[in-house]
Every structure is written in structure tokens, then in C-alpha cells.
Amino acid sequence: MSNFFNYYGEYEDNIYEFNSGLNVIVADNGAGKTKLFSAFCWVLKDEVINSDATGDKNISVDNYKAYMISDKAKNETLTNNEVKCGVRINFSEDHYEYEIEKYFWAKRINDSSPTNPENWFCHSIETKISKKDLILLCNPPYFRTGIQASFQI
């Protein structure tokens, strides 16, 4: 996650690895368990969870993007500069590795309170999906004869 709710920083700063099967997440109140689940909901269902809401807690992202940005990232972003808010999920199945990323850029548009959502212009959400064949990465095909090649992995 990158500046997604309370997960401040780049993707590399917020890596969580899950094992095959059941994974249980245990943490204190306010530690980000619901926000972590919300990251999966956003990537898979285009919804986030507002744990502060009463009634229906599932919210469409379109009108909620400015709330999704980490407050720390908002405070560090200068007027007329942008910050990226996103979620990237990597997983593998059989010999394939998949990566799904959803993100948007937000621009701070004035000097007043950085945590006020009205002080941000949020761009459209981008989605990237990639699939790698792990067997082909280790055993690339040769389509022409007489070519010598060596690979180091």
C-alpha cells in the first residue's frame, strides 16, 4: 500500500506477506486491520470500508478518494504538488505470478488545512494488471536455430 489511509509511504514500506491457507490478523484497536481489509475490497470490488460510519460501511471510492490518502502524506505534500495513493496485490498460482495495482494521484490545491478533502483534486483511478509465466522466465523459448544465448538468474 502506498499512502493508503494510515499506511504511509511507498509500496516497499508497507509489505505484508500471507501464507497459503488461512491467515489471521491480530492487532490493537486502531492499528489498521479494517484498512488492510479495505485495501482488498478496493482492488476487488471498487469499495472501501468506512469503519467510522453508522449503517452501511461500504463506500463507493469515487466520492471518497481524498479521505483515502494518508494524513501524514497530506501534511507533507506542498500546495500544487501531488501524492500517490494506491494498493498493489501480488499473488501466484501454479506457475503464474499476478500483480494488480489500483492507484490515483491527488494534487493539493491550496494552503489551508491539508486534511480537509476539499483542498485536494483527485485524478481518475488507474488500474494495472500483469501476469508473468514463471516457467518461461526460467526457460525462454528459442524460435530461431543457430542462436547462442546464455541466461543468468
Side-chain angles (χ1 to χ4, degrees):
M1 291 169 282
S2 177
N3 299 312
F4 182 78
F5 286 109
N6 55 316
Y7 293 95
Y8 167 77
E10 301 301 319
Y11 290 122
E12 295 76 21
D13 300 326
N14 297 297
I15 295 175
Y16 299 90
E17 294 187 20
F18 296 96
N19 296 317
S20 181
L22 179 66
N23 290 265
V24 178
I25 299 168
V26 179
D28 292 335
N29 288 345
K33 300 178 298 293
T34 302
K35 302 303 185 205
L36 179 63
F37 181 68
S38 199
F40 286 101
C41 288
W42 183 32
V43 169
L44 301 174
K45 296 175 54 178
D46 281 329
E47 294 180 343
V48 291
I49 299 168
N50 180 0
S51 55
D52 299 326
T54 56
D56 187 11
K57 296 181 181 287
N58 294 349
I59 296 174
S60 171
V61 173
D62 289 332
N63 299 322
Y64 201 68
K65 288 186 278 191
Y67 294 97
M68 295 167 52
I69 307 164
S70 157
D71 283 347
K72 185 173 182 181
K74 287 179 187 176
N75 283 316
E76 290 181 357
T77 304
L78 301 174
T79 303
N80 294 319
N81 287 342
E82 294 187 334
V83 63
K84 182 179 183 178
C85 176
V87 174
R88 183 188 304 157
I89 298 175
N90 296 37
F91 63 96
S92 58
E93 181 180 43
D94 297 327
H95 60 90
Y96 295 105
E97 181 177 278
Y98 300 89
E99 181 175 282
I100 304 170
E101 179 184 15
K102 272 195 181 174
Y103 65 93
F104 62 90
W105 288 92
K107 181 177 184 176
R108 184 172 173 185
I109 55 177
N110 67 43
D111 285 331
S112 59
S113 174
T115 56
N116 183 342
E118 293 179 6
N119 297 329
W120 291 87
F121 172 77
C122 297
H123 297 276
S124 299
I125 294 172
E126 301 286 332
T127 302
K128 292 182 181 178
I129 301 172
S130 66
K131 175 182 174 182
K132 290 183 202 172
D133 188 326
L134 300 176
I135 292 177
L136 282 178
L137 289 175
C138 295
N139 303 303
Y142 297 101
F143 297 104
R144 292 185 282 167
T145 59
I147 298 175
Q148 293 184 344
S150 63
F151 296 91
Q152 289 185 332
I153 296 179

